[in-house]
């Protein structure tokens, strides 16, 4: 009987420790930022302060890269003339796509600013991983500053391939031999989407 009671007390103590650990995790600012990040597709018209855009980009380049090669290029665009001009080209080139989006204001998910990331066109197996690490750093930094982001592959593809957007691509002044791999829309959120379900079965411990 005493042994049984001892087992119960041990179990209760373990449960309490786990509860305290979970509470501690929820109070961890890094974990909180990760769990609160969402892809934002609606933004206010409020411009993003350049100091914040610079800080987000600096957090990006502080991501790890293979052998610290840092084979990436980061370009920040917050000029409405660039964003609106590129958008007008797209509206003429792809009117059907634009018409399907009833909330369409610009081709960058309506964001007032974008951060463009380029890598070498002849990328090795690590370059895309490095760029991805950089992108997550920037998205989390933006989240911590009260900003929202959305990683845009289509916008990058459009800038890379649509001839009428060539002048806008050229303005990014990427190094020779580089290509745009993604664009981060960034701005002050005008929506609060719920978290999408995550499949925890993707995580497994290997014995």
């Amino acid at each position: 009987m005493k042994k049984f009671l001892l087992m119960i007390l041990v179990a209760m103590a373990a449960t309490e420790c786990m509860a305290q650990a979970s509470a501690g995790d929820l109070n961890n600012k890094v974990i909180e930022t990760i769990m609160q990040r969402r892809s934002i597709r609606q933004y206010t018209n409020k411009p993003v302060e350049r100091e914040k855009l610079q800080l987000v980009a600096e957090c990006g380049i502080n991501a790890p890269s293979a052998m610290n090669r840092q084979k990436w290029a980061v370009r920040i665009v917050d000029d409405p003339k660039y964003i609106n001009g590129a958008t007008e080209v797209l509206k003429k080139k792809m009117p059907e796509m634009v018409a399907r989006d009833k909330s369409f204001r610009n081709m960058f998910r309506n964001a007032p600013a974008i951060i463009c990331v380029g890598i070498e066109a002849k990328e090795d197996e690590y370059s895309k991983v490095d760029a991805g690490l950089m992108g997550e750093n920037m998205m989390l930094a933006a989240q911590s500053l009260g900003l929202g982001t959305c990683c845009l592959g289509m916008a990058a593809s459009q800038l890379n391939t649509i001839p009428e957007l060539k002048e806008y691509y050229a303005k990014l002044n990427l190094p020779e031999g580089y290509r745009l791999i993604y664009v981060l829309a960034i701005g002050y959120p005008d929506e609060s989407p719920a978290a999408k379900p995550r499949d925890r079965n993707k995580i497994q411990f290997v014995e």
Side-chain angles (χ1 to χ4, degrees):
M1 184 67 177
K2 288 183 179 180
K3 184 176 181 181
F4 178 70
L5 288 173
L6 180 60
M7 290 173 62
I8 292 177
L9 289 172
V10 169
M12 290 174 64
T15 301
E16 179 64 21
C17 287
M18 290 175 64
Q20 289 178 2
S22 297
D25 289 344
L26 292 174
N27 292 325
N28 182 294
K29 292 298 182 183
V30 175
I31 293 174
E32 183 179 296
T33 300
I34 292 170
M35 295 303 186
Q36 290 179 348
R37 188 213 60 81
R38 305 284 184 270
S39 291
I40 300 298
R41 295 175 174 84
Q42 297 296 329
Y43 299 87
T44 70
N45 292 323
K46 180 181 177 181
V48 181
E49 299 86 345
R50 284 201 162 187
E51 294 80 4
K52 289 187 177 181
L53 292 171
Q54 177 73 26
L55 180 57
V56 168
E58 289 186 9
C59 287
I61 64 172
N62 273 279
S65 65
M67 295 176 285
N68 196 33
R69 296 175 306 168
Q70 303 179 47
K71 286 192 174 182
W72 46 45
V74 186
R75 301 292 183 264
I76 304 170
V77 181
D78 62 351
D79 184 355
K81 291 181 180 179
Y82 181 105
I83 291 173
N84 295 333
T87 297
E88 287 303 312
V89 171
L90 185 73
K91 286 166 68 174
K92 293 177 182 178
K93 187 69 176 178
M94 307 179 74
E96 300 85 2
M97 186 197 77
V98 172
R100 288 196 297 268
D101 185 353
K102 301 304 179 183
S103 62
F104 183 91
R105 294 204 311 269
N106 72 49
M107 65 181 284
F108 305 109
R109 288 294 182 183
N110 306 327
I114 56 175
I115 299 178
C116 304
V117 174
I119 61 173
E120 287 184 321
K122 295 181 179 179
E123 76 272 2
D124 56 37
E125 60 183 310
Y126 303 111
S127 296
K128 288 183 178 180
V129 175
D130 294 345
L133 293 169
M134 165 186 274
E136 184 70 2
N137 263 25
M138 291 192 289
M139 288 187 282
L140 295 178
Q143 175 71 29
S144 74
L145 294 171
L147 299 167
T149 57
C150 188
C151 190
L152 309 176
M154 182 177 290
S157 177
Q158 290 162 345
L159 285 166
N160 278 328
T161 60
I162 295 178
E164 291 83 352
L165 287 172
K166 185 176 180 180
E167 65 175 290
Y168 294 94
Y169 181 89
K171 286 179 180 178
L172 297 176
N173 195 31
L174 295 176
E176 185 175 354
Y178 273 55
R179 67 182 178 89
L180 200 57
I181 189 170
Y182 62 79
V183 174
L184 278 189
I186 183 167
Y188 286 95
D190 198 24
E191 63 173 350
S192 300
K196 300 290 179 64
R198 292 296 190 268
D199 184 359
R200 292 187 176 183
N201 290 324
K202 301 293 184 182
I203 305 171
Q204 297 182 7
F205 284 92
V206 178
E207 300 296 340

